[in-house]
Structures are given as C-alpha cells and as structure tokens.
Amino acid sequence: MGTIVQSISCLSWKNYQPLVSSQNVIAQEKGQSRIRAAENLCATVKTDKFSGLINRRAAIASGVALVSSTVFGFPREGLAVVKQGLLAGRVPGLSEPDEQGWRTYQRPEDKSGGHGVGWSPIIPYAFSVPQEWDEVPVSIADLGGTEIDLRFASPKQGRLFVIVAPVLRFADNLGDNATIERIGTPEKVINAFGPEVIGENVEGKIISSEVAEHSGRTYYQFELEPPHVLITATAAGNRLYLFNVTGNGLQWKKHYKDLKRIANSFQVL
C-alpha cells in the first residue's frame, strides 16, 4: 500500500509540470525545483524499501533446517514484554501464583498456531515461571516462522521460547508416536539443533548434558555458553519440542537459579 501511495505522489508531481504557466518563469523554476525534490524523495524512499525487502529476504534465506537463529532465542535485548490486548491482563493457560510466587503455564488445547494444515493437534506442554514473567505475542511475520509456538519474557530475568516442529522435517520413519531417543542420542540432537538455537556451531560451547525422565518421557537437557542458554529437547506425537531459556550476562549471573528451575520445569503432558 505504501509503495502505491508513493508512486501516485510521484506521478502527481510529474503531471503538475505541464500545468505551470510559461508566462511565469519564476513560478516555473520553483515548480521544476519542487518536481526534482519530490522525484528525488520518491526515489530515495523506493530505494530504502527495496533495500529493506532485500535484507528481509536475505535474513529468511539464511535460515537453516529449523528456523532462522536471529529470532529463535536471541532477538535484540530491547525485546518488549507485551501483553496481548485480547487477554485483558490475564494469559490463558497461566495459573495464579503459588506460595513462592511462581505460576504454571499449560498450553491451552484450543490455542491457535500456524503449524501447517493437516497436522494433528499439538500435545500440550507445561512449565513454571516467576510471577513477573509474561507472554510475548508471536507475530505471523516472525522470521522464526510457524515453529515458534510461544514466547515468554521478563525484563529483569531473561526470556524463553518454545519450538514445536514436525518430526518429518528430520526423519520420515518416526511415525506419529516419536520419542527423542528415536531421533538420536543427546550428542546427535544438540549438534543438529543447537546451531538453530544459538546461530552458530555448538562445538566447545556445551557446558553440561543430562538425560531426565518425567512420567515415562525422556528429556535431553543442555547448558551452552556462550551465549547463555538452557535447552530442553523431547518428542511427542509427530513433533519435536525444544524449550529454550536464555538471558544476557547480567541476567544469567543474578538469576541463574531461577532460569535453571524454569528450564527443568518443562514437560510435555
């Protein structure tokens, strides 16, 4: 729409030129100066818009297997914590604070998500966060694409994001009841998906690797540095789940205990 308006504006300036009276030389010169200024302005705007379009396409094209790392867990530090207007101050699926001030989020079964037509409903997951954490709306224009299912953040403590991706993107023989063990060993999983989260090779960045089990489901848990990030991976149904908790250096130093607790709380129900 913006390009159309600018084109019309440029056209109107060009059409204006013949209407200038030849008897008024001064007015004609002024008119021509305005025409040149308007045309230069339009050309600059179009160039800026074209450059923005190229940059956006380049950013999308540079993404690999799962999604572009620029939006996964490491957007700019200025990422705002915004409550969705339709939620009226309360996030669906988020419980009231417990005695310690922590709330539990459980993905609503009817939560919408752009995970592709024809896919089965997403098996709900849950995790706990301190009271000051809020959901950050995921835009359909998010460069991360449809696989970023949820974002939460706290200006003081850090941020998290949940990736839910079809296992068919990684193997065609896992069926509709995939497990993380069938996808691969912890080493294979972090080497394959870690770069998608941090935007670079994970070699030399893995601080710890653990295997946990909750209600019969296996979870791979990793800590990477730098950048600071805790990754929990599991599989359920026909999808891979990646739960990622991150923060800047100061947040990591001051709130590591809470960030670790958030990461360990993730479960697919």
Side-chain angles (χ1 to χ4, degrees):
M1 180 66 72
T3 303
I4 295 174
V5 172
Q6 290 154 9
S7 299
I8 293 175
S9 299
C10 296
L11 183 61
S12 63
W13 275 108
K14 291 179 179 179
N15 290 342
Y16 172 80
Q17 188 172 7
L19 299 179
V20 179
S21 174
S22 58
Q23 297 178 357
N24 193 335
V25 177
I26 297 177
Q28 184 177 22
E29 291 178 349
K30 288 184 179 180
Q32 290 176 343
S33 298
R34 291 174 180 174
I35 293 169
R36 286 193 294 272
E39 289 176 341
N40 290 337
L41 176 60
C42 291
T44 300
V45 171
K46 288 180 179 178
T47 300
D48 291 343
K49 280 192 168 291
F50 181 74
S51 299
L53 178 60
I54 293 298
N55 290 337
R56 181 173 178 82
R57 288 178 176 173
I60 295 174
S62 65
V64 280
L66 212 50
V67 67
S68 173
S69 60
T70 57
V71 249
F72 259 12
F74 305 93
R76 295 178 181 176
E77 294 297 335
L79 175 66
V81 178
V82 182
K83 292 185 179 180
Q84 295 179 356
L86 297 177
L87 302 184
R90 188 177 186 280
V91 178
L94 195 61
S95 72
E96 295 297 325
D98 61 16
E99 295 178 353
Q100 297 179 334
W102 283 64
R103 302 185 294 178
T104 297
Y105 175 86
Q106 179 173 325
R107 188 186 194 278
E109 293 185 0
D110 59 349
K111 175 181 170 66
S112 62
H115 294 271
V117 176
W119 290 103
S120 60
I122 294 175
I123 298 175
Y125 53 80
F127 58 87
S128 297
V129 290
Q131 187 171 352
E132 62 269 21
W133 285 63
D134 282 303
E135 183 175 358
V136 178
V138 177
S139 169
I140 58 174
D142 197 321
L143 287 180
T146 60
E147 285 151 353
I148 295 185
D149 189 61
L150 182 75
R151 292 186 188 274
F152 260 70
S154 162
K156 294 182 179 180
Q157 294 188 323
R159 55 196 184 275
L160 68 83
F161 54 104
V162 184
I163 300 164
V164 183
V167 296
L168 282 177
R169 296 198 61 175
F170 321 114
D172 58 5
N173 60 347
L174 297 175
D176 292 330
N177 191 24
T179 64
I180 195 68
E181 298 97 324
R182 293 181 63 194
I183 291 178
T185 64
E187 182 180 8
K188 179 180 178 181
V189 168
I190 192 60
N191 286 331
F193 304 120
E196 312 300 338
V197 175
I198 69 172
E200 55 187 290
N201 196 294
V202 300
E203 184 177 357
K205 300 179 182 295
I206 304 173
I207 304 300
S208 65
S209 175
E210 302 176 3
V211 178
E213 183 177 316
H214 301 290
S215 303
R217 193 183 307 281
T218 300
Y219 298 79
Y220 295 163
Q221 299 173 331
F222 309 95
E223 180 175 343
L224 276 62
E225 180 183 328
H228 301 292
V229 61
L230 297 165
I231 302 173
T232 302
T234 193
N238 57 12
R239 289 183 173 87
L240 169 74
Y241 293 74
L242 292 174
F243 183 73
N244 311 278
V245 183
T246 185
N248 60 37
L250 181 61
Q251 291 170 332
W252 201 258
K253 182 177 180 180
K254 294 182 63 175
H255 303 288
Y256 175 80
K257 185 177 179 180
D258 283 346
L259 296 175
K260 182 70 171 178
R261 178 175 171 180
I262 294 171
N264 290 342
S265 72
F266 178 76
Q267 293 187 41
V268 177
L269 306 177

